Structure formats: structure tokens, C-alpha cells
Amino acid sequence: MSEYGECTEVLVDRTVLIALQAELGGDQAIIGAFVRNYVALLPWRVSRLHRALDNADMEDAMDAVLSLKTSSHMVGAICMDRLARELEIGIRLVPNENHLDELRPLVTQIEQYVAGTIAELESPVL
């Protein structure tokens, strides 16, 4: 379990998207496209984390986790954001790429929340 505890039943903070929509002048089309893009790329981002660990590629692991963290934060995917932050810390703390495999349980935990996060984001938001 992460230092943030289990993710609750709420995986997405909808107020983040509402605030973003307000900043963009209320344009729902832009928000919809932004969310669709995040949803489409989320499984790929997580599989990229797995590949980076499989290949013991520290640079790719960091790039992948930063992509996941930033994009999750922007859409209000609070569970993904929190777990990605924890994974980023883990990557920074491992002594070298040979220890990246120790982070696999956290990537597996992230993967467990992909479907739920997508489902929440695809439900009517605004």
C-alpha cells in the first residue's frame, strides 16, 4: 500500500475539470477533447512504466512517471496523481537502474486503478 493509503472510491476530483473549463471560458469541447486524450493515453502510459522497469531504464521510467503524474494532475485523476508522485519518489531513491524492479508492486497498484479512473472520467462530468 502506498504512503497515501488506498485510493478511495473517488478517483477523480471533478472540481479540477470545472476550474479548467472556467479558465477556458466555459468551452466544454476543449475539456472533452482533453479528457478523451488522457483516457486514450492512460493505458499506454502505464504500459510504458512496465516496459521501463522491464528494461531497467531509469531515464524512461522517470520520463514515463512524470508524464503520468502531470497529465493525471491536470485532469483531476487524484489517485493516479498520488501514486505517480510516490513512484517518482521511489525512482529518485533507488540507488541505480538494477533496483527499478523493486518498484513493480507500485506500478501494479497504479494499473489496478486505470479502469476505474477511465470510467469516472468517461461518465458525464460537466
Side-chain angles (χ1 to χ4, degrees), residues 10-33:
V10 178
L11 302 177
V12 176
D13 179 358
R14 294 173 185 270
T15 63
V16 172
L17 291 174
I18 293 168
L20 183 59
Q21 182 178 357
E23 286 180 37
L24 297 172
D27 192 338
Q28 284 188 313
I30 293 173
I31 298 301

mmCIF file with all atom_site columns, all heavy atoms in Angstrom, residues 10-33:
data_model
loop_
_atom_site.group_PDB
_atom_site.id
_atom_site.type_symbol
_atom_site.label_atom_id
_atom_site.label_alt_id
_atom_site.label_comp_id
_atom_site.label_asym_id
_atom_site.label_entity_id
_atom_site.label_seq_id
_atom_site.pdbx_PDB_ins_code
_atom_site.Cartn_x
_atom_site.Cartn_y
_atom_site.Cartn_z
_atom_site.occupancy
_atom_site.B_iso_or_equiv
_atom_site.pdbx_formal_charge
_atom_site.auth_seq_id
_atom_site.auth_comp_id
_atom_site.auth_asym_id
_atom_site.auth_atom_id
_atom_site.pdbx_PDB_model_num
ATOM 1   N N   . VAL A 1 10 ? -13.517 7.557  -4.769  1.00 0.00 ? 10 VAL A N   1
ATOM 2   C CA  . VAL A 1 10 ? -13.471 8.700  -5.671  1.00 0.00 ? 10 VAL A CA  1
ATOM 3   C C   . VAL A 1 10 ? -12.070 8.778  -6.252  1.00 0.00 ? 10 VAL A C   1
ATOM 4   O O   . VAL A 1 10 ? -11.100 9.027  -5.554  1.00 0.00 ? 10 VAL A O   1
ATOM 5   C CB  . VAL A 1 10 ? -13.816 10.017 -4.924  1.00 0.00 ? 10 VAL A CB  1
ATOM 6   C CG1 . VAL A 1 10 ? -13.710 11.202 -5.866  1.00 0.00 ? 10 VAL A CG1 1
ATOM 7   C CG2 . VAL A 1 10 ? -15.201 9.943  -4.326  1.00 0.00 ? 10 VAL A CG2 1
ATOM 8   N N   . LEU A 1 11 ? -11.969 8.529  -7.553  1.00 0.00 ? 11 LEU A N   1
ATOM 9   C CA  . LEU A 1 11 ? -10.676 8.519  -8.217  1.00 0.00 ? 11 LEU A CA  1
ATOM 10  C C   . LEU A 1 11 ? -10.389 9.817  -8.951  1.00 0.00 ? 11 LEU A C   1
ATOM 11  O O   . LEU A 1 11 ? -9.242  10.098 -9.293  1.00 0.00 ? 11 LEU A O   1
ATOM 12  C CB  . LEU A 1 11 ? -10.602 7.351  -9.206  1.00 0.00 ? 11 LEU A CB  1
ATOM 13  C CG  . LEU A 1 11 ? -10.832 5.959  -8.604  1.00 0.00 ? 11 LEU A CG  1
ATOM 14  C CD1 . LEU A 1 11 ? -10.811 4.901  -9.699  1.00 0.00 ? 11 LEU A CD1 1
ATOM 15  C CD2 . LEU A 1 11 ? -9.810  5.667  -7.532  1.00 0.00 ? 11 LEU A CD2 1
ATOM 16  N N   . VAL A 1 12 ? -11.440 10.608 -9.174  1.00 0.00 ? 12 VAL A N   1
ATOM 17  C CA  . VAL A 1 12 ? -11.306 11.849 -9.943  1.00 0.00 ? 12 VAL A CA  1
ATOM 18  C C   . VAL A 1 12 ? -11.937 12.990 -9.164  1.00 0.00 ? 12 VAL A C   1
ATOM 19  O O   . VAL A 1 12 ? -13.069 12.883 -8.686  1.00 0.00 ? 12 VAL A O   1
ATOM 20  C CB  . VAL A 1 12 ? -11.993 11.711 -11.322 1.00 0.00 ? 12 VAL A CB  1
ATOM 21  C CG1 . VAL A 1 12 ? -11.944 13.024 -12.091 1.00 0.00 ? 12 VAL A CG1 1
ATOM 22  C CG2 . VAL A 1 12 ? -11.348 10.589 -12.127 1.00 0.00 ? 12 VAL A CG2 1
ATOM 23  N N   . ASP A 1 13 ? -11.194 14.078 -9.046  1.00 0.00 ? 13 ASP A N   1
ATOM 24  C CA  . ASP A 1 13 ? -11.711 15.304 -8.438  1.00 0.00 ? 13 ASP A CA  1
ATOM 25  C C   . ASP A 1 13 ? -12.276 16.159 -9.568  1.00 0.00 ? 13 ASP A C   1
ATOM 26  O O   . ASP A 1 13 ? -11.544 16.810 -10.303 1.00 0.00 ? 13 ASP A O   1
ATOM 27  C CB  . ASP A 1 13 ? -10.587 16.036 -7.698  1.00 0.00 ? 13 ASP A CB  1
ATOM 28  C CG  . ASP A 1 13 ? -11.046 17.335 -7.070  1.00 0.00 ? 13 ASP A CG  1
ATOM 29  O OD1 . ASP A 1 13 ? -12.226 17.716 -7.224  1.00 0.00 ? 13 ASP A OD1 1
ATOM 30  O OD2 . ASP A 1 13 ? -10.210 17.996 -6.424  1.00 0.00 ? 13 ASP A OD2 1
ATOM 31  N N   . ARG A 1 14 ? -13.575 16.138 -9.707  1.00 0.00 ? 14 ARG A N   1
ATOM 32  C CA  . ARG A 1 14 ? -14.226 16.833 -10.824 1.00 0.00 ? 14 ARG A CA  1
ATOM 33  C C   . ARG A 1 14 ? -14.062 18.346 -10.753 1.00 0.00 ? 14 ARG A C   1
ATOM 34  O O   . ARG A 1 14 ? -14.179 19.031 -11.770 1.00 0.00 ? 14 ARG A O   1
ATOM 35  C CB  . ARG A 1 14 ? -15.697 16.458 -10.877 1.00 0.00 ? 14 ARG A CB  1
ATOM 36  C CG  . ARG A 1 14 ? -15.892 14.997 -11.229 1.00 0.00 ? 14 ARG A CG  1
ATOM 37  C CD  . ARG A 1 14 ? -17.368 14.596 -11.113 1.00 0.00 ? 14 ARG A CD  1
ATOM 38  N NE  . ARG A 1 14 ? -17.536 13.180 -11.342 1.00 0.00 ? 14 ARG A NE  1
ATOM 39  C CZ  . ARG A 1 14 ? -17.765 12.646 -12.545 1.00 0.00 ? 14 ARG A CZ  1
ATOM 40  N NH1 . ARG A 1 14 ? -17.830 13.422 -13.595 1.00 0.00 ? 14 ARG A NH1 1
ATOM 41  N NH2 . ARG A 1 14 ? -17.909 11.353 -12.671 1.00 0.00 ? 14 ARG A NH2 1
ATOM 42  N N   . THR A 1 15 ? -13.778 18.876 -9.586  1.00 0.00 ? 15 THR A N   1
ATOM 43  C CA  . THR A 1 15 ? -13.605 20.329 -9.481  1.00 0.00 ? 15 THR A CA  1
ATOM 44  C C   . THR A 1 15 ? -12.395 20.811 -10.283 1.00 0.00 ? 15 THR A C   1
ATOM 45  O O   . THR A 1 15 ? -12.359 21.958 -10.706 1.00 0.00 ? 15 THR A O   1
ATOM 46  C CB  . THR A 1 15 ? -13.482 20.789 -8.013  1.00 0.00 ? 15 THR A CB  1
ATOM 47  O OG1 . THR A 1 15 ? -12.314 20.201 -7.428  1.00 0.00 ? 15 THR A OG1 1
ATOM 48  C CG2 . THR A 1 15 ? -14.710 20.426 -7.210  1.00 0.00 ? 15 THR A CG2 1
ATOM 49  N N   . VAL A 1 16 ? -11.427 19.942 -10.498 1.00 0.00 ? 16 VAL A N   1
ATOM 50  C CA  . VAL A 1 16 ? -10.261 20.310 -11.311 1.00 0.00 ? 16 VAL A CA  1
ATOM 51  C C   . VAL A 1 16 ? -10.694 20.610 -12.741 1.00 0.00 ? 16 VAL A C   1
ATOM 52  O O   . VAL A 1 16 ? -10.289 21.621 -13.326 1.00 0.00 ? 16 VAL A O   1
ATOM 53  C CB  . VAL A 1 16 ? -9.190  19.195 -11.268 1.00 0.00 ? 16 VAL A CB  1
ATOM 54  C CG1 . VAL A 1 16 ? -8.071  19.478 -12.250 1.00 0.00 ? 16 VAL A CG1 1
ATOM 55  C CG2 . VAL A 1 16 ? -8.643  19.034 -9.855  1.00 0.00 ? 16 VAL A CG2 1
ATOM 56  N N   . LEU A 1 17 ? -11.532 19.751 -13.310 1.00 0.00 ? 17 LEU A N   1
ATOM 57  C CA  . LEU A 1 17 ? -12.007 19.981 -14.677 1.00 0.00 ? 17 LEU A CA  1
ATOM 58  C C   . LEU A 1 17 ? -12.958 21.176 -14.755 1.00 0.00 ? 17 LEU A C   1
ATOM 59  O O   . LEU A 1 17 ? -12.944 21.913 -15.742 1.00 0.00 ? 17 LEU A O   1
ATOM 60  C CB  . LEU A 1 17 ? -12.683 18.722 -15.218 1.00 0.00 ? 17 LEU A CB  1
ATOM 61  C CG  . LEU A 1 17 ? -11.745 17.549 -15.487 1.00 0.00 ? 17 LEU A CG  1
ATOM 62  C CD1 . LEU A 1 17 ? -12.539 16.305 -15.870 1.00 0.00 ? 17 LEU A CD1 1
ATOM 63  C CD2 . LEU A 1 17 ? -10.728 17.887 -16.549 1.00 0.00 ? 17 LEU A CD2 1
ATOM 64  N N   . ILE A 1 18 ? -13.744 21.358 -13.724 1.00 0.00 ? 18 ILE A N   1
ATOM 65  C CA  . ILE A 1 18 ? -14.652 22.510 -13.699 1.00 0.00 ? 18 ILE A CA  1
ATOM 66  C C   . ILE A 1 18 ? -13.842 23.807 -13.680 1.00 0.00 ? 18 ILE A C   1
ATOM 67  O O   . ILE A 1 18 ? -14.155 24.757 -14.411 1.00 0.00 ? 18 ILE A O   1
ATOM 68  C CB  . ILE A 1 18 ? -15.615 22.413 -12.501 1.00 0.00 ? 18 ILE A CB  1
ATOM 69  C CG1 . ILE A 1 18 ? -16.570 21.234 -12.706 1.00 0.00 ? 18 ILE A CG1 1
ATOM 70  C CG2 . ILE A 1 18 ? -16.375 23.720 -12.304 1.00 0.00 ? 18 ILE A CG2 1
ATOM 71  C CD1 . ILE A 1 18 ? -17.374 20.853 -11.476 1.00 0.00 ? 18 ILE A CD1 1
ATOM 72  N N   . ALA A 1 19 ? -12.773 23.830 -12.873 1.00 0.00 ? 19 ALA A N   1
ATOM 73  C CA  . ALA A 1 19 ? -11.914 25.016 -12.811 1.00 0.00 ? 19 ALA A CA  1
ATOM 74  C C   . ALA A 1 19 ? -11.207 25.244 -14.146 1.00 0.00 ? 19 ALA A C   1
ATOM 75  O O   . ALA A 1 19 ? -11.104 26.382 -14.621 1.00 0.00 ? 19 ALA A O   1
ATOM 76  C CB  . ALA A 1 19 ? -10.896 24.871 -11.681 1.00 0.00 ? 19 ALA A CB  1
ATOM 77  N N   . LEU A 1 20 ? -10.742 24.175 -14.759 1.00 0.00 ? 20 LEU A N   1
ATOM 78  C CA  . LEU A 1 20 ? -10.080 24.295 -16.054 1.00 0.00 ? 20 LEU A CA  1
ATOM 79  C C   . LEU A 1 20 ? -11.054 24.813 -17.108 1.00 0.00 ? 20 LEU A C   1
ATOM 80  O O   . LEU A 1 20 ? -10.713 25.675 -17.919 1.00 0.00 ? 20 LEU A O   1
ATOM 81  C CB  . LEU A 1 20 ? -9.494  22.939 -16.476 1.00 0.00 ? 20 LEU A CB  1
ATOM 82  C CG  . LEU A 1 20 ? -8.706  22.917 -17.779 1.00 0.00 ? 20 LEU A CG  1
ATOM 83  C CD1 . LEU A 1 20 ? -7.522  23.868 -17.725 1.00 0.00 ? 20 LEU A CD1 1
ATOM 84  C CD2 . LEU A 1 20 ? -8.225  21.494 -18.066 1.00 0.00 ? 20 LEU A CD2 1
ATOM 85  N N   . GLN A 1 21 ? -12.269 24.313 -17.066 1.00 0.00 ? 21 GLN A N   1
ATOM 86  C CA  . GLN A 1 21 ? -13.284 24.776 -18.012 1.00 0.00 ? 21 GLN A CA  1
ATOM 87  C C   . GLN A 1 21 ? -13.556 26.268 -17.801 1.00 0.00 ? 21 GLN A C   1
ATOM 88  O O   . GLN A 1 21 ? -13.667 27.024 -18.774 1.00 0.00 ? 21 GLN A O   1
ATOM 89  C CB  . GLN A 1 21 ? -14.575 23.983 -17.847 1.00 0.00 ? 21 GLN A CB  1
ATOM 90  C CG  . GLN A 1 21 ? -15.642 24.395 -18.835 1.00 0.00 ? 21 GLN A CG  1
ATOM 91  C CD  . GLN A 1 21 ? -16.904 23.581 -18.691 1.00 0.00 ? 21 GLN A CD  1
ATOM 92  O OE1 . GLN A 1 21 ? -16.979 22.668 -17.891 1.00 0.00 ? 21 GLN A OE1 1
ATOM 93  N NE2 . GLN A 1 21 ? -17.902 23.924 -19.476 1.00 0.00 ? 21 GLN A NE2 1
ATOM 94  N N   . ALA A 1 22 ? -13.621 26.695 -16.555 1.00 0.00 ? 22 ALA A N   1
ATOM 95  C CA  . ALA A 1 22 ? -13.847 28.113 -16.273 1.00 0.00 ? 22 ALA A CA  1
ATOM 96  C C   . ALA A 1 22 ? -12.690 28.956 -16.814 1.00 0.00 ? 22 ALA A C   1
ATOM 97  O O   . ALA A 1 22 ? -12.914 30.034 -17.375 1.00 0.00 ? 22 ALA A O   1
ATOM 98  C CB  . ALA A 1 22 ? -14.021 28.324 -14.777 1.00 0.00 ? 22 ALA A CB  1
ATOM 99  N N   . GLU A 1 23 ? -11.465 28.473 -16.650 1.00 0.00 ? 23 GLU A N   1
ATOM 100 C CA  . GLU A 1 23 ? -10.299 29.194 -17.161 1.00 0.00 ? 23 GLU A CA  1
ATOM 101 C C   . GLU A 1 23 ? -10.328 29.310 -18.677 1.00 0.00 ? 23 GLU A C   1
ATOM 102 O O   . GLU A 1 23 ? -9.804  30.273 -19.242 1.00 0.00 ? 23 GLU A O   1
ATOM 103 C CB  . GLU A 1 23 ? -9.007  28.478 -16.751 1.00 0.00 ? 23 GLU A CB  1
ATOM 104 C CG  . GLU A 1 23 ? -8.639  28.647 -15.297 1.00 0.00 ? 23 GLU A CG  1
ATOM 105 C CD  . GLU A 1 23 ? -7.353  27.904 -14.955 1.00 0.00 ? 23 GLU A CD  1
ATOM 106 O OE1 . GLU A 1 23 ? -6.431  27.867 -15.794 1.00 0.00 ? 23 GLU A OE1 1
ATOM 107 O OE2 . GLU A 1 23 ? -7.282  27.368 -13.840 1.00 0.00 ? 23 GLU A OE2 1
ATOM 108 N N   . LEU A 1 24 ? -10.941 28.341 -19.327 1.00 0.00 ? 24 LEU A N   1
ATOM 109 C CA  . LEU A 1 24 ? -11.002 28.330 -20.788 1.00 0.00 ? 24 LEU A CA  1
ATOM 110 C C   . LEU A 1 24 ? -12.288 28.968 -21.317 1.00 0.00 ? 24 LEU A C   1
ATOM 111 O O   . LEU A 1 24 ? -12.669 28.748 -22.470 1.00 0.00 ? 24 LEU A O   1
ATOM 112 C CB  . LEU A 1 24 ? -10.873 26.897 -21.303 1.00 0.00 ? 24 LEU A CB  1
ATOM 113 C CG  . LEU A 1 24 ? -9.545  26.213 -20.984 1.00 0.00 ? 24 LEU A CG  1
ATOM 114 C CD1 . LEU A 1 24 ? -9.588  24.743 -21.372 1.00 0.00 ? 24 LEU A CD1 1
ATOM 115 C CD2 . LEU A 1 24 ? -8.396  26.924 -21.694 1.00 0.00 ? 24 LEU A CD2 1
ATOM 116 N N   . GLY A 1 25 ? -12.952 29.707 -20.467 1.00 0.00 ? 25 GLY A N   1
ATOM 117 C CA  . GLY A 1 25 ? -14.153 30.416 -20.899 1.00 0.00 ? 25 GLY A CA  1
ATOM 118 C C   . GLY A 1 25 ? -15.373 29.540 -21.065 1.00 0.00 ? 25 GLY A C   1
ATOM 119 O O   . GLY A 1 25 ? -16.271 29.869 -21.823 1.00 0.00 ? 25 GLY A O   1
ATOM 120 N N   . GLY A 1 26 ? -15.397 28.405 -20.371 1.00 0.00 ? 26 GLY A N   1
ATOM 121 C CA  . GLY A 1 26 ? -16.563 27.538 -20.402 1.00 0.00 ? 26 GLY A CA  1
ATOM 122 C C   . GLY A 1 26 ? -16.650 26.621 -21.604 1.00 0.00 ? 26 GLY A C   1
ATOM 123 O O   . GLY A 1 26 ? -17.698 26.029 -21.861 1.00 0.00 ? 26 GLY A O   1
ATOM 124 N N   . ASP A 1 27 ? -15.582 26.478 -22.343 1.00 0.00 ? 27 ASP A N   1
ATOM 125 C CA  . ASP A 1 27 ? -15.586 25.661 -23.556 1.00 0.00 ? 27 ASP A CA  1
ATOM 126 C C   . ASP A 1 27 ? -15.529 24.169 -23.222 1.00 0.00 ? 27 ASP A C   1
ATOM 127 O O   . ASP A 1 27 ? -14.478 23.618 -22.944 1.00 0.00 ? 27 ASP A O   1
ATOM 128 C CB  . ASP A 1 27 ? -14.413 26.046 -24.459 1.00 0.00 ? 27 ASP A CB  1
ATOM 129 C CG  . ASP A 1 27 ? -14.530 25.459 -25.848 1.00 0.00 ? 27 ASP A CG  1
ATOM 130 O OD1 . ASP A 1 27 ? -15.249 24.454 -26.024 1.00 0.00 ? 27 ASP A OD1 1
ATOM 131 O OD2 . ASP A 1 27 ? -13.902 26.015 -26.761 1.00 0.00 ? 27 ASP A OD2 1
ATOM 132 N N   . GLN A 1 28 ? -16.689 23.508 -23.276 1.00 0.00 ? 28 GLN A N   1
ATOM 133 C CA  . GLN A 1 28 ? -16.776 22.080 -22.965 1.00 0.00 ? 28 GLN A CA  1
ATOM 134 C C   . GLN A 1 28 ? -16.088 21.216 -24.014 1.00 0.00 ? 28 GLN A C   1
ATOM 135 O O   . GLN A 1 28 ? -15.604 20.135 -23.698 1.00 0.00 ? 28 GLN A O   1
ATOM 136 C CB  . GLN A 1 28 ? -18.235 21.648 -22.817 1.00 0.00 ? 28 GLN A CB  1
ATOM 137 C CG  . GLN A 1 28 ? -18.846 22.073 -21.508 1.00 0.00 ? 28 GLN A CG  1
ATOM 138 C CD  . GLN A 1 28 ? -20.212 21.473 -21.323 1.00 0.00 ? 28 GLN A CD  1
ATOM 139 O OE1 . GLN A 1 28 ? -21.046 21.511 -22.236 1.00 0.00 ? 28 GLN A OE1 1
ATOM 140 N NE2 . GLN A 1 28 ? -20.459 20.910 -20.156 1.00 0.00 ? 28 GLN A NE2 1
ATOM 141 N N   . ALA A 1 29 ? -16.039 21.675 -25.242 1.00 0.00 ? 29 ALA A N   1
ATOM 142 C CA  . ALA A 1 29 ? -15.417 20.881 -26.300 1.00 0.00 ? 29 ALA A CA  1
ATOM 143 C C   . ALA A 1 29 ? -13.931 20.673 -26.020 1.00 0.00 ? 29 ALA A C   1
ATOM 144 O O   . ALA A 1 29 ? -13.401 19.578 -26.230 1.00 0.00 ? 29 ALA A O   1
ATOM 145 C CB  . ALA A 1 29 ? -15.621 21.556 -27.656 1.00 0.00 ? 29 ALA A CB  1
ATOM 146 N N   . ILE A 1 30 ? -13.268 21.712 -25.565 1.00 0.00 ? 30 ILE A N   1
ATOM 147 C CA  . ILE A 1 30 ? -11.834 21.603 -25.255 1.00 0.00 ? 30 ILE A CA  1
ATOM 148 C C   . ILE A 1 30 ? -11.623 20.650 -24.094 1.00 0.00 ? 30 ILE A C   1
ATOM 149 O O   . ILE A 1 30 ? -10.736 19.788 -24.148 1.00 0.00 ? 30 ILE A O   1
ATOM 150 C CB  . ILE A 1 30 ? -11.234 22.990 -24.953 1.00 0.00 ? 30 ILE A CB  1
ATOM 151 C CG1 . ILE A 1 30 ? -11.233 23.846 -26.210 1.00 0.00 ? 30 ILE A CG1 1
ATOM 152 C CG2 . ILE A 1 30 ? -9.818  22.847 -24.404 1.00 0.00 ? 30 ILE A CG2 1
ATOM 153 C CD1 . ILE A 1 30 ? -10.813 25.281 -25.978 1.00 0.00 ? 30 ILE A CD1 1
ATOM 154 N N   . ILE A 1 31 ? -12.434 20.767 -23.067 1.00 0.00 ? 31 ILE A N   1
ATOM 155 C CA  . ILE A 1 31 ? -12.316 19.883 -21.902 1.00 0.00 ? 31 ILE A CA  1
ATOM 156 C C   . ILE A 1 31 ? -12.593 18.442 -22.317 1.00 0.00 ? 31 ILE A C   1
ATOM 157 O O   . ILE A 1 31 ? -11.878 17.522 -21.929 1.00 0.00 ? 31 ILE A O   1
ATOM 158 C CB  . ILE A 1 31 ? -13.271 20.307 -20.763 1.00 0.00 ? 31 ILE A CB  1
ATOM 159 C CG1 . ILE A 1 31 ? -12.924 21.709 -20.277 1.00 0.00 ? 31 ILE A CG1 1
ATOM 160 C CG2 . ILE A 1 31 ? -13.245 19.308 -19.618 1.00 0.00 ? 31 ILE A CG2 1
ATOM 161 C CD1 . ILE A 1 31 ? -11.515 21.878 -19.757 1.00 0.00 ? 31 ILE A CD1 1
ATOM 162 N N   . GLY A 1 32 ? -13.621 18.242 -23.122 1.00 0.00 ? 32 GLY A N   1
ATOM 163 C CA  . GLY A 1 32 ? -13.948 16.895 -23.589 1.00 0.00 ? 32 GLY A CA  1
ATOM 164 C C   . GLY A 1 32 ? -12.799 16.275 -24.367 1.00 0.00 ? 32 GLY A C   1
ATOM 165 O O   . GLY A 1 32 ? -12.453 15.102 -24.161 1.00 0.00 ? 32 GLY A O   1
ATOM 166 N N   . ALA A 1 33 ? -12.190 17.049 -25.243 1.00 0.00 ? 33 ALA A N   1
ATOM 167 C CA  . ALA A 1 33 ? -11.055 16.545 -26.027 1.00 0.00 ? 33 ALA A CA  1
ATOM 168 C C   . ALA A 1 33 ? -9.867  16.240 -25.119 1.00 0.00 ? 33 ALA A C   1
ATOM 169 O O   . ALA A 1 33 ? -9.179  15.227 -25.295 1.00 0.00 ? 33 ALA A O   1
ATOM 170 C CB  . ALA A 1 33 ? -10.669 17.558 -27.097 1.00 0.00 ? 33 ALA A CB  1
#
